[in-house]
Structure formats: structure tokens, C-alpha cells
Amino acid sequence: MAYFDSSKNRALWEIRLGQLRRERAAREAGGQGTLKEQDSVQKTGAVRIPISYEELLKREAAESGKRREMGNRERSREKTGEKTRVQEQLKERQAQI
């Protein structure tokens, strides 16, 4: 246990041990979660909302459908762009002849 030979490490351990004791007391008193989790919720204001697996699959399917539509739109734009480029090249060739 050479870790505790250092006064700095011993002090850090005492601080952490105090935190763990407070967390245990909070849980025994009927509190929920650890103090770190409670602090993070207070700082960010974000709360996790439980979601079922089926709902998650539905959301992912909807997102992938949107991505497919966006991809199709981009492809059609590229195709129309290619068509106009080909037409311009043909016009240039005809003008040269």
C-alpha cells in the first residue's frame, strides 16, 4: 500500500472516501443516483427520457428514410447537371464544325 505513504495521496483518498460516504448516506435516505449524476443534471438541465426499443427502431427508420430522400435528390441534381454539361459540350463541338 505504498500509495498511502504519500501525504498527498492519503489526503486525496480521504476526500474521495468522504464523497462515497455522502453518496451512501443519500442512497440510504431514499435518494436516487449518485451525487455526480445529480450534479450533471443540474449543470446541463438535460434529463434522459426512457424510450422503448421499438420506438427507437421507428425513429431510426424515419431518419434513414429522410437520408435516402436527400441522397436521391442530390443524385437527380447531379444527373441533371451532367445532362446540361453534355449538352453544352455538344453545342461547343457543333459550333467548332
Side-chain angles (χ1 to χ4, degrees), residues 21 26 44 46 65:
R21 287 182 181 138
T44 61

Side-chain angles (χ1 to χ4, degrees), residues 60-70:
E60 288 179 350
E63 287 295 320
S64 66
K66 289 178 186 176
R67 288 187 205 133
R68 267 190 248 127
E69 286 180 17
M70 295 298 282

Side-chain angles (χ1 to χ4, degrees), residues 37-48:
E37 290 175 359
Q38 293 171 0
D39 289 344
S40 66
V41 169
Q42 290 174 354
K43 289 179 184 176
T44 61
V47 178
R48 291 184 181 174

Side-chain angles (χ1 to χ4, degrees), residues 54-91:
E54 290 80 19
E55 181 64 28
L56 181 63
L57 289 176
K58 288 178 186 177
R59 288 184 185 182
E60 288 179 350
E63 287 295 320
S64 66
K66 289 178 186 176
R67 288 187 205 133
R68 267 190 248 127
E69 286 180 17
M70 295 298 282
N72 290 340
R73 288 180 191 161
E74 290 175 6
R75 285 187 208 115
S76 65
R77 287 181 190 156
E78 289 175 2
K79 288 180 182 178
T80 57
E82 289 176 13
K83 288 179 184 177
T84 56
R85 279 188 239 129
V86 169
Q87 290 173 353
E88 290 174 2
Q89 290 174 353
L90 287 174
K91 288 180 184 178

